[in-house]
Amino acid sequence: MGLAALPRRDADARDRLEQLGVQARPMVLARERAIELGPHAGADVGGLAALVPGGALTRGSVLRVVGDAGATTVGFELAAAVTAVGEWAAVVDLDSSLGALAAAEAGVALERFAVVRRVPPARWATAVAALIDGVSLVLADVPRGVQLGDARRLVARARERETVLVVHERDARWPGDAALTLHVVGATWTGIVDAGHLTHRSLQVRAVGRGVAARAVTSELARAV
C-alpha cells in the first residue's frame, strides 16, 4: 500500500498559499471605512461636509473640537451622522451638562446614544477605552491631567477598533494626536420673532488637520433652534 502524498513545503508551495490567502482576505473599500455626513434631521450637513475631508468621517480617526459655546453642538452633529446610519455613539459627560433635547435637535438618534456621566478624572481613560470597544463614535470631554501615554493608547485603540474618537477641549488640552481639529470661532443668533425669541444660530467653525486637511477651512453651521 503506497504512502499518502505529503503536502509540499517548498518555496513555490508557500508562495501559492500566500497568494491564496491574499485572494481570500476580505477587501475593505475606502468608502466602507468612512461614515458619510449624509442627511439627518436637525444638522447642517453641508457645513459639516465642507469641514471634513471627503465629506466623511474616517473610522479609527481622532478629532479635536475646541471652544466653549457651540462646540457641544458640533460634537452632537458628528454623532448624529453615526446614529443616522444605524450605528451607536456614546458621550463621556464630565459635569452632567449635556441635554438629551439638544442632542435630539442636532439629529442624534437617542435610542442609539449612550451617556456616561461624572467619570472621575482618574478613570476617564479607562471609561473612554471601554466605549471605544463598543460603539462607532465616542465624544469625550477632556479632563485636566490626562497623560500623554493614556492619550496615545486611546489613539491606538481607536485606530485598532475603527472607532471615531472626538475629544472636546474645554477646560483642558488633549495631549495626543488628532487627524483634524475643529475650532468654534464664533456664534451668531438671528431671527427675532414677535415674541422676542431668536430662532436661528450660526456657528463659524475652522478646521485644520494633516495631509489633505493641512490647509485651514472655515465653514458656517446654521441651525434652527
Side-chain angles (χ1 to χ4, degrees):
M1 183 174 179
L3 294 175
L6 296 174
R8 292 174 57 189
R9 299 184 180 179
D10 56 28
D12 289 342
R14 287 196 297 270
D15 288 343
R16 179 162 178 76
L17 284 174
E18 289 178 0
Q19 292 172 10
L20 289 172
V22 170
Q23 294 171 6
R25 187 179 304 148
M27 181 176 66
V28 179
L29 301 177
R31 65 175 179 272
E32 295 173 348
R33 296 199 65 253
I35 302 170
E36 293 188 6
L37 296 172
H40 48 272
D44 179 6
V45 178
L48 278 176
L51 293 168
V52 179
L57 297 173
T58 301
R59 296 182 188 273
S61 62
V62 178
L63 283 70
R64 294 167 59 225
V65 179
V66 182
D68 293 322
T72 299
T73 297
V74 174
F76 280 159
E77 293 194 359
L78 293 171
V82 170
T83 60
V85 296
E87 301 186 30
W88 276 75
V91 60
V92 177
D93 181 10
L94 293 178
D95 57 6
S96 299
S97 62
L98 302 182
L101 179 59
E105 288 178 344
V108 177
L110 298 182
E111 67 273 16
R112 292 188 294 277
F113 188 59
V115 180
V116 180
R117 301 188 185 277
R118 298 191 180 280
V119 176
R123 300 289 297 168
W124 181 85
T126 301
V128 173
L131 292 173
I132 286 174
D133 286 347
V135 301
S136 296
L137 182 142
V138 177
L139 302 174
D141 286 337
V142 179
R144 295 176 182 174
V146 175
Q147 300 298 311
L148 178 59
D150 287 335
R152 286 175 173 170
R153 283 187 284 273
L154 291 175
V155 170
R157 197 180 195 97
R159 184 183 304 113
E160 177 188 355
R161 304 298 188 187
E162 296 195 332
T163 296
V164 179
L165 174 60
V166 181
V167 290
H168 176 202
E169 295 182 3
R170 183 167 48 182
D171 297 323
R173 182 175 177 82
W174 169 248
D177 292 335
L180 188 70
T181 299
L182 302 175
H183 296 268
V184 180
V185 295
T188 304
W189 291 87
T190 58
I192 298 178
V193 296
D194 293 339
H197 295 151
L198 297 170
T199 58
H200 291 80
R201 180 174 64 167
S202 296
L203 300 176
Q204 293 291 329
V205 183
R206 180 167 53 88
V208 63
R210 300 193 301 257
V212 296
R215 181 182 177 188
V217 176
T218 302
S219 182
E220 182 178 278
L221 276 63
R223 298 180 62 246
V225 294

